[in-house]
Each structure stands twice: as structure tokens, then as C-alpha cells.
Amino acid sequence: MEITTDGATLVLHGAFDVRSTWEVRNAIYGCLEALDGVDHEVVVDMTDVSTIDLTALRLLAVATRHAWLTGHHLTVRNPGPAVRRMAHLARLAHAIEVERVAATA
């Protein structure tokens, strides 16, 4: 797992699983702390995430809730079909907010 940052956007690359949850957790909570007192949203870009496991999904659900409780907003951008399917199978799709993209005509 490789993580790059662009302001309040974390871009994840590779497999997001139990081996990388601690690193991703630290990055997400570090962004949230950096935004303390500022009304911004943290975006986790998962365009390049190939696979995800239950531990990683639980991390995203808990971080989403923590962000909301602290007055911030955490959204996931571009989760692939495998990520979406796993979120539905794990019954965590409702706990993770996916960024809505406007449809083009």
C-alpha cells in the first residue's frame, strides 16, 4: 500500500488490507487533526485500490463516524467494483460515504 497526499485528499494505491490499515488509519486521523477548527472534508481516493478486506472497511466506517462526531466529513472517492461489492457483503456500505459524481449528459 502506498499513500500520497494532496491537501486533505489521501490517494491510496494497491491492496488495502489488514497489513496496511495502521498506516492508512494514521494518515486519515492525521488529516482530520490537521483540519481541526477548519470546516473541510477529508477525501480518500480509492481509484487505484485493487482489493480491500473487512478490517480495512471497518477502519473506513469508524473513521467516517469519528470525522462526523468531530465536525468533519470523510468521503471515499472512486471505489472500484470489488471495493463496493465487499462493502455490501460486509454490510458496511451504509457506514461509508461515497462521493457522488454528477452524471454527464
Side-chain angles (χ1 to χ4, degrees):
M1 169 63 56
E2 182 184 334
I3 303 170
T4 56
T5 59
D6 181 16
T9 300
L10 300 173
V11 183
L12 308 182
H13 308 274
F16 185 12
D17 56 22
V18 69
R19 294 170 294 174
S20 57
T21 53
W22 189 253
E23 183 182 2
V24 175
R25 180 200 176 280
N26 288 338
I28 290 172
Y29 283 84
C31 267
L32 290 172
E33 287 176 12
L35 296 176
D36 201 25
V38 180
D39 187 28
H40 277 318
E41 103 177 315
V42 173
V43 176
V44 179
D45 189 331
M46 298 183 69
T47 303
D48 294 332
V49 172
S50 55
T51 60
I52 194 165
D53 68 3
L54 183 58
T55 304
L57 285 169
R58 286 182 179 158
L59 165 68
L60 289 175
V62 169
T64 299
R65 174 107 171 118
H66 175 78
W68 180 77
L69 290 172
T70 59
H72 299 292
H73 202 170
L74 185 133
T75 56
V76 173
R77 177 181 293 158
N78 297 327
V83 173
R84 287 178 184 264
R85 182 171 187 268
M86 188 64 175
H88 283 286
L89 289 173
R91 300 183 190 269
L92 288 172
H94 68 281
I96 299 167
E97 186 169 341
V98 176
E99 182 178 66
R100 303 211 184 270
V101 179
T104 57

